[in-house]
Amino acid sequence: MSGKNIVFLVLLLFIPVSLAAHYLEWGDLIVFVTAGLAILPLAAWMGAATEEIAVVVGPTLGGLLNATFGNATELIIALVALNAGLVNVVKASITGSIIGNLLLVMGLSMLLGGLRHKEQTFQPIVARVNASAMNLAVIAILLPTAMNYTAKGIGEATLQYLSVAVAVVLILVYVLTLIFSMKTHAYLYDVGVAEIETEENPHPKPNIFLWSGVLLVCTLLVAVESELLVDALEVATSQLGLTALFTGVILVPIVGNAAEHATAVTVAMKDKMDLSVSVAVGSSMQIALFVAPVLVIAGWILGQPMDLDFQPFELVAVVVSVLIANSISSDGKSNWLEGTLLLAAYAVLGFAFYFHPDVGGLG
Amino acid sequence: MSGKNIVFLVLLLFIPVSLAAHYLEWGDLIVFVTAGLAILPLAAWMGAATEEIAVVVGPTLGGLLNATFGNATELIIALVALNAGLVNVVKASITGSIIGNLLLVMGLSMLLGGLRHKEQTFQPIVARVNASAMNLAVIAILLPTAMNYTAKGIGEATLQYLSVAVAVVLILVYVLTLIFSMKTHAYLYDVGVAEIETEENPHPKPNIFLWSGVLLVCTLLVAVESELLVDALEVATSQLGLTALFTGVILVPIVGNAAEHATAVTVAMKDKMDLSVSVAVGSSMQIALFVAPVLVIAGWILGQPMDLDFQPFELVAVVVSVLIANSISSDGKSNWLEGTLLLAAYAVLGFAFYFHPDVGGLG
Amino acid sequence: MSGKNIVFLVLLLFIPVSLAAHYLEWGDLIVFVTAGLAILPLAAWMGAATEEIAVVVGPTLGGLLNATFGNATELIIALVALNAGLVNVVKASITGSIIGNLLLVMGLSMLLGGLRHKEQTFQPIVARVNASAMNLAVIAILLPTAMNYTAKGIGEATLQYLSVAVAVVLILVYVLTLIFSMKTHAYLYDVGVAEIETEENPHPKPNIFLWSGVLLVCTLLVAVESELLVDALEVATSQLGLTALFTGVILVPIVGNAAEHATAVTVAMKDKMDLSVSVAVGSSMQIALFVAPVLVIAGWILGQPMDLDFQPFELVAVVVSVLIANSISSDGKSNWLEGTLLLAAYAVLGFAFYFHPDVGGLG
């Protein structure tokens, strides 16, 4: 059993601990921390189960499954938070996930990979298509913010209409991206898929019933722990002296993206930068093209109207992250300094969000 | 006779129809639509005539002719609108032309070209020089807006001085760009010119008098139809429930750029992406480096003072368009998904302008 | 003796002239101009002395010396101005130095180099690492401005804390950049260093005591002349009708960067574009990663609290400069038109700063 799996088994203990902390009322801060820790191994096994099932059902259905469940943890946390009315935290967690994937995940991958390997290279082809789609998606989800910031006197209803229109366009683009990568131009992605398979599945044929069960149980447990996390969030973060914005942009995405994080860093240290960059950029793309639009539409259905009107400084932070990530990844090479630069950018943005005045509160 | 020419001949019928609609007072909406349709074939023939004459007069004078008449339709419509005092519509049509060329024209070219050809490539050399010049020009024409938006309390006179100073610099740069492409570094552009010639002129030697006559007549007719279009614009667009901003940014450029549009898409489908991208990027560049500065100076002469102070959201839209177009075209390859991404960006911006509050009105 | 050295010797005469002008009270304008001219040869000799000493003490210590004294002139002028309370001028000179290096220095190099050589190429490797570090640094020093602009109600103390936090991160990144370029990845920079050495030091072994003396004397004289310059600045610029912002962004950096300027242009004309681009981009990077953070911390020690809250339009100008410089330098080729585009961008920004309303005054 690998060291990673032992850590995960130990972290599983936080499931009963967090439940105990909740029902025995040990305090919101303890619930918040233990529920957050409990989600980490669940997210990792959801990812593993998705991969295993994807191998059995074949590339097309498997790709679809990966694309839908790839950010399942973030989506579940966000849906629970949205249902609880924490609209501002949900919005902040969208921008935070994009920033975290591009700067923190890619930065740590390049730094730790670069400490072992002098110079690492990655095929820019997949990264490039993903990056263009991500650029578009990021820009699209930020347009309502830009419009509301530059033109005064836009009604809430107008922002909501515009947000839904943008969400529909993005989901269409997402579907087209899947068709592109799985049908018309699947050959471009062959390298990546092969690497994932040999990476994660050295055994001949996984048991689909076993893994479907794992996926189901983990999904349910993530939902339960997300409820605990969200319930305790308000009191816990105010005890820590943190704003809703900082919590949403920095804390929530670290929990939600831990699985991608671990994968990207692990494969980077094995010098598979193709896969590592693909995970980080691909995850950002999925959040912007799929998670964010789904949340806008879900918000309408749940009666928690969520538009795409972010804090203006979130817009600045995302644009900055995209520009730096593009600048560093565009040449298909990386080293430890480039990783450090991404992490430094994340640190500086983290400071800025820490000092940012609290606007609007949690909801 | 090709299908395209038959369509153009049919569209020519809208010249008498629009005149009848105007003088018989059939309503502004009908005048607006028919005059818009009548301009399409005229713009196409102006382009064709310019190309034919360019072949006869040789590369230097011909290049100059192309450079001056390349955006003649847009320039004529804008001058007529400026003379009628529709300053805001004219300004909006400048940003709209840039956005339209980069997203709509290039997007449709890459999509329709990409549906026929799996992957299309284009030489990035010409695109690169044009893109740098375009980046500069776009940034320059947006600087007065940025300054007025970030620093409060700038007088109108100051904005006008700054706009004229910027316009003079841009026209100088435009002249230098022509010297570069036609004299000192003409060899870089040889491929493109040869393609245009074999593309558009399969016959031995065009008749310069015939084509000069065609150019003259078409120019006059475009001017007449522009008058009808501009006269009917205010009532027609308010009947359609459209703002001056949306009309200027979306509707007017579609009419004004139809010729480039048709050319770029046609050659993209014949897998001549070099030429297609060159038309789209080159047209954006010409608008920013030549049309916009000429309009600023013309506005002063016509007593319709026009500065370069756009709506802040127009600035956002143009920057976004330039970033996406650069991101997608920088690698010299395209496919249908990249075309779709450009079109999606155009659609999202279109929605945003549709919902944008009406500021300032037509003039 | 080369023509350059004769010019420098003549300029040295302005040292006594400026002192006379100051003590005999010939007027602030004369003091300002003569002190500015006197700094030019001193800066050049400081640079030369640093290079000579660097050769003797070996690559590691020499690199450190170059990195620290590379922007010594700017740093001294800024420290003197900061001590005199001209906080706004110091801030403006930071952004002005970045803009000036990227647009004016690189633009003149590409233009004058391009007039002699049809197409010039440079290795993008060193430029790339520097550009990424510069992008990060530029973004980081602008974040407090962006935050203050987008989120209302941030206290001055918060901005100061954030600025110091950013400064500490940047200095750490600077140290890591030095470790990268001098230890772990020194081989990437070998070409550049070799060129500098053969360029500047054709003789066998310089006298370290002589050059240390030159460095010391020049540093002291620059400090003296900076005092004169700063003392006379307020009256002189108001006599010239210039705002503090224009003075800081345009005038001060031209004096402070004259040495880099001369070096970059000279080597560009010898077709050593690698070195030329490296000087321009490297100098921008040093200002953002080293000079600016040092000034923030020095401001605190000097009791002249200096945060990184610039004028919003300075932010626009720097972002614009970085985008254009990246766009033009990313392909590793240059020609006279690209140089002209950079200069045109500088001219347009210069006009804008000239017309920009005076906000906040000198301090």
Side-chain angles (χ1 to χ4, degrees):
Chain A
M1 185 176 278
S2 74
K4 200 171 78 175
N5 283 333
I6 293 171
V7 172
F8 283 165
L9 280 179
V10 171
L11 285 172
L12 272 191
L13 288 176
F14 284 104
I15 298 178
V17 174
S18 63
L19 286 166
H22 178 71
Y23 288 107
L24 303 178
E25 296 182 7
W26 296 353
D28 280 324
L29 190 52
I30 293 175
V31 175
F32 184 72
V33 172
T34 52
L37 291 171
I39 289 173
L40 302 184
L42 295 170
W45 274 315
M46 278 172 74
T50 309
E51 298 289 348
E52 300 287 338
I53 299 169
V55 173
V56 179
V57 298
T60 309
L61 201 61
L64 205 66
L65 206 70
N66 263 322
T68 320
F69 275 82
N71 284 289
T73 312
E74 282 149 291
L75 191 55
I76 294 169
I77 300 177
L79 284 171
V80 170
L82 191 58
N83 199 32
L86 306 185
V87 178
N88 284 343
V89 174
V90 172
K91 284 191 200 175
S93 76
I94 292 173
T95 54
S97 288
I98 295 170
I99 297 169
N101 274 302
L102 292 182
L103 301 184
L104 184 59
V105 175
M106 201 151 95
L108 261 180
S109 301
M110 287 185 177
L111 173 58
L112 295 181
L115 289 178
R116 285 209 182 175
H117 310 275
K118 198 130 202 146
E119 184 163 83
Q120 300 188 289
T121 56
F122 45 94
Q123 259 226 50
I125 291 186
V126 173
R128 182 178 59 79
V129 173
N130 278 351
S132 291
M134 187 194 66
N135 286 350
L136 162 73
V138 161
I139 282 165
I141 68 168
L142 295 174
L143 267 192
T145 310
M147 187 168 128
N148 193 30
Y149 189 68
T150 55
K152 308 301 172 198
I154 299 174
E156 276 195 26
T158 305
L159 277 173
Q160 185 70 47
Y161 291 141
L162 178 57
S163 300
V164 172
V166 168
V168 170
V169 171
L170 290 181
I171 288 180
L172 279 177
V173 169
Y174 189 58
V175 171
L176 291 171
T177 311
L178 294 181
I179 293 174
F180 182 82
S181 63
M182 295 197 283
K183 272 197 93 89
T184 71
H185 288 65
Y187 64 96
L188 283 177
Y189 295 78
D190 276 356
V191 192
V193 171
E195 273 190 74
I196 294 177
E197 279 168 25
T198 54
E199 177 63 33
E200 306 282 337
N201 308 300
H203 48 275
K205 181 89 178 181
N207 182 329
I208 189 167
F209 296 106
L210 173 69
W211 286 110
S212 299
V214 170
L215 185 58
L216 186 69
V217 171
C218 286
T219 305
L220 290 173
L221 285 172
V222 165
V224 170
E225 294 296 326
S226 298
E227 288 279 358
L228 301 187
L229 189 85
V230 166
D231 265 9
L233 187 143
E234 184 161 7
V235 175
T237 54
S238 82
Q239 278 178 5
L240 293 168
L242 303 175
T243 61
L245 186 65
F246 184 83
T247 308
V249 172
I250 305 291
L251 286 196
V252 174
I254 287 182
V255 175
N257 288 304
E260 287 92 329
H261 209 128
T263 307
V265 171
T266 309
V267 297
M269 291 174 74
K270 291 180 187 162
D271 208 13
K272 308 195 174 200
M273 282 309 283
D274 270 329
L275 188 53
S276 181
V277 171
S278 180
V279 166
V281 174
S283 180
S284 289
M285 187 193 77
Q286 271 187 19
I287 287 157
L289 276 184
F290 180 66
V291 175
V294 163
L295 289 172
V296 168
I297 291 165
W300 223 353
I301 296 169
L302 292 172
Q304 296 285 359
M306 196 192 112
D307 57 32
L308 292 170
D309 181 29
F310 299 93
Q311 289 297 318
F313 189 69
E314 290 181 78
L315 185 154
V316 171
V318 171
V319 169
V320 156
S321 305
V322 169
L323 287 179
I324 294 191
N326 280 353
S327 147
I328 283 184
S329 69
S330 65
D331 66 342
K333 285 176 199 162
S334 72
N335 53 53
W336 68 261
L337 183 63
E338 296 194 326
T340 307
L341 293 176
L342 291 171
L343 292 175
Y346 190 72
V348 168
L349 285 175
F351 283 127
F353 278 111
Y354 182 78
F355 287 118
H356 196 286
D358 202 10
V359 199
L362 298 163
Chain B
M1 184 174 279
S2 73
K4 202 171 78 175
N5 284 334
I6 293 172
V7 172
F8 283 164
L9 281 179
V10 173
L11 286 172
L12 274 191
L13 289 177
F14 284 104
I15 299 178
V17 174
S18 62
L19 287 166
H22 178 71
Y23 288 107
L24 304 177
E25 296 181 6
W26 295 353
D28 280 324
L29 191 51
I30 293 173
V31 176
F32 184 72
V33 172
T34 52
L37 290 171
I39 289 173
L40 302 183
L42 295 170
W45 274 315
M46 278 173 72
T50 310
E51 297 289 347
E52 300 287 339
I53 298 168
V55 173
V56 179
V57 298
T60 308
L61 202 61
L64 206 65
L65 206 71
N66 261 322
T68 320
F69 275 82
N71 284 288
T73 312
E74 281 149 292
L75 192 55
I76 294 169
I77 299 178
L79 284 171
V80 169
L82 191 59
N83 199 33
L86 306 185
V87 178
N88 284 342
V89 174
V90 172
K91 285 190 199 176
S93 75
I94 292 174
T95 54
S97 288
I98 295 172
I99 297 169
N101 274 302
L102 292 182
L103 301 183
L104 184 59
V105 175
M106 201 152 95
L108 260 180
S109 302
M110 287 187 178
L111 173 59
L112 296 180
L115 289 179
R116 283 210 184 174
H117 310 275
K118 195 130 204 148
E119 183 164 83
Q120 298 188 290
T121 57
F122 45 94
Q123 259 225 50
I125 292 184
V126 172
R128 182 177 61 79
V129 173
N130 278 351
S132 291
M134 188 194 66
N135 286 348
L136 163 74
V138 161
I139 282 165
I141 67 167
L142 295 175
L143 266 191
T145 309
M147 187 167 126
N148 193 31
Y149 188 69
T150 56
K152 309 301 172 199
I154 300 173
E156 275 195 27
T158 305
L159 277 174
Q160 184 70 48
Y161 290 141
L162 179 58
S163 300
V164 171
V166 168
V168 170
V169 171
L170 289 181
I171 288 180
L172 280 176
V173 169
Y174 190 58
V175 171
L176 291 171
T177 310
L178 293 181
I179 293 173
F180 181 83
S181 64
M182 294 197 284
K183 271 198 94 87
T184 71
H185 288 66
Y187 63 96
L188 283 177
Y189 295 77
D190 276 355
V191 191
V193 172
E195 275 191 73
I196 295 177
E197 279 169 25
T198 53
E199 176 63 31
E200 307 282 338
N201 308 298
H203 47 275
K205 182 88 178 181
N207 182 331
I208 189 167
F209 296 107
L210 172 69
W211 286 111
S212 299
V214 169
L215 185 58
L216 186 69
V217 170
C218 286
T219 306
L220 290 174
L221 284 172
V222 165
V224 170
E225 294 296 326
S226 298
E227 289 278 357
L228 300 188
L229 188 85
V230 166
D231 266 9
L233 187 143
E234 184 163 6
V235 175
T237 55
S238 81
Q239 278 178 4
L240 292 169
L242 304 175
T243 62
L245 186 64
F246 184 84
T247 308
V249 172
I250 305 290
L251 286 196
V252 173
I254 286 182
V255 175
N257 287 304
E260 287 92 328
H261 209 128
T263 307
V265 171
T266 310
V267 297
M269 290 173 75
K270 291 180 186 161
D271 207 13
K272 306 194 175 199
M273 281 309 284
D274 270 329
L275 189 52
S276 180
V277 171
S278 181
V279 166
V281 174
S283 180
S284 289
M285 186 192 77
Q286 272 187 20
I287 287 156
L289 275 183
F290 181 66
V291 175
V294 162
L295 288 172
V296 168
I297 291 164
W300 223 353
I301 297 169
L302 291 172
Q304 296 283 1
M306 195 192 114
D307 57 32
L308 292 170
D309 181 30
F310 299 92
Q311 288 298 318
F313 189 69
E314 290 181 77
L315 186 153
V316 172
V318 171
V319 169
V320 156
S321 306
V322 169
L323 287 180
I324 294 191
N326 280 352
S327 148
I328 283 183
S329 69
S330 64
D331 66 342
K333 286 176 199 161
S334 71
N335 53 53
W336 68 262
L337 182 64
E338 296 193 329
T340 307
L341 293 176
L342 292 171
L343 292 175
Y346 189 73
V348 168
L349 286 175
F351 283 128
F353 278 111
Y354 182 79
F355 287 118
H356 196 287
D358 202 10
V359 199
L362 297 163
Chain C
M1 184 176 278
S2 73
K4 201 171 77 174
N5 283 333
I6 295 172
V7 172
F8 283 164
L9 281 179
V10 172
L11 285 172
L12 273 190
L13 289 176
F14 284 103
I15 298 177
V17 174
S18 62
L19 286 166
H22 178 72
Y23 288 107
L24 303 177
E25 296 181 7
W26 295 354
D28 281 323
L29 191 52
I30 293 174
V31 176
F32 184 72
V33 172
T34 52
L37 290 170
I39 289 173
L40 302 182
L42 295 170
W45 274 315
M46 278 172 73
T50 310
E51 298 288 348
E52 300 287 340
I53 299 169
V55 173
V56 179
V57 298
T60 308
L61 203 60
L64 206 64
L65 207 71
N66 262 322
T68 321
F69 275 83
N71 284 289
T73 312
E74 282 149 291
L75 191 55
I76 295 168
I77 300 177
L79 283 171
V80 170
L82 191 58
N83 199 32
L86 306 185
V87 178
N88 284 342
V89 174
V90 172
K91 285 190 200 176
S93 75
I94 292 174
T95 54
S97 288
I98 295 172
I99 297 169
N101 274 302
L102 291 182
L103 300 184
L104 183 58
V105 175
M106 200 151 95
L108 260 179
S109 302
M110 287 186 178
L111 172 59
L112 296 181
L115 289 178
R116 285 211 182 173
H117 311 273
K118 197 131 203 147
E119 183 164 84
Q120 299 189 289
T121 56
F122 45 95
Q123 258 225 49
I125 292 185
V126 173
R128 181 177 60 80
V129 173
N130 279 351
S132 292
M134 188 195 65
N135 286 349
L136 162 74
V138 161
I139 281 166
I141 69 168
L142 295 175
L143 266 192
T145 310
M147 186 167 128
N148 194 30
Y149 189 68
T150 55
K152 308 301 174 200
I154 299 174
E156 275 194 25
T158 305
L159 276 173
Q160 185 69 48
Y161 290 142
L162 178 58
S163 300
V164 172
V166 169
V168 170
V169 171
L170 289 181
I171 288 181
L172 279 177
V173 169
Y174 189 58
V175 171
L176 291 171
T177 311
L178 293 180
I179 293 174
F180 181 84
S181 64
M182 294 196 284
K183 273 197 93 88
T184 70
H185 288 65
Y187 63 96
L188 283 178
Y189 295 77
D190 275 357
V191 191
V193 171
E195 274 189 74
I196 295 177
E197 278 168 26
T198 53
E199 177 62 33
E200 306 282 337
N201 308 299
H203 47 274
K205 181 88 177 181
N207 181 331
I208 188 167
F209 297 107
L210 173 67
W211 286 112
S212 299
V214 170
L215 185 58
L216 186 69
V217 171
C218 286
T219 306
L220 289 173
L221 285 172
V222 165
V224 170
E225 294 297 327
S226 298
E227 288 279 358
L228 301 187
L229 188 84
V230 166
D231 265 9
L233 187 142
E234 183 162 6
V235 175
T237 54
S238 80
Q239 279 178 5
L240 293 169
L242 302 176
T243 62
L245 186 65
F246 184 84
T247 308
V249 171
I250 306 291
L251 285 196
V252 173
I254 287 180
V255 175
N257 289 303
E260 287 93 328
H261 209 128
T263 307
V265 171
T266 310
V267 297
M269 290 173 75
K270 291 179 187 161
D271 207 13
K272 308 194 174 200
M273 282 308 284
D274 270 328
L275 189 51
S276 180
V277 170
S278 180
V279 166
V281 174
S283 181
S284 289
M285 185 192 76
Q286 272 186 20
I287 286 155
L289 276 184
F290 181 66
V291 174
V294 162
L295 288 171
V296 168
I297 291 163
W300 222 353
I301 296 167
L302 292 172
Q304 296 285 1
M306 195 193 114
D307 57 32
L308 292 170
D309 181 30
F310 298 92
Q311 289 297 320
F313 189 69
E314 290 182 77
L315 187 153
V316 171
V318 172
V319 169
V320 156
S321 306
V322 169
L323 287 180
I324 294 192
N326 280 352
S327 147
I328 282 182
S329 68
S330 65
D331 66 342
K333 286 176 197 162
S334 71
N335 53 54
W336 68 262
L337 182 64
E338 295 193 327
T340 307
L341 292 176
L342 292 171
L343 292 175
Y346 190 73
V348 168
L349 285 175
F351 283 128
F353 279 111
Y354 182 79
F355 287 118
H356 195 287
D358 202 9
V359 199
L362 297 163

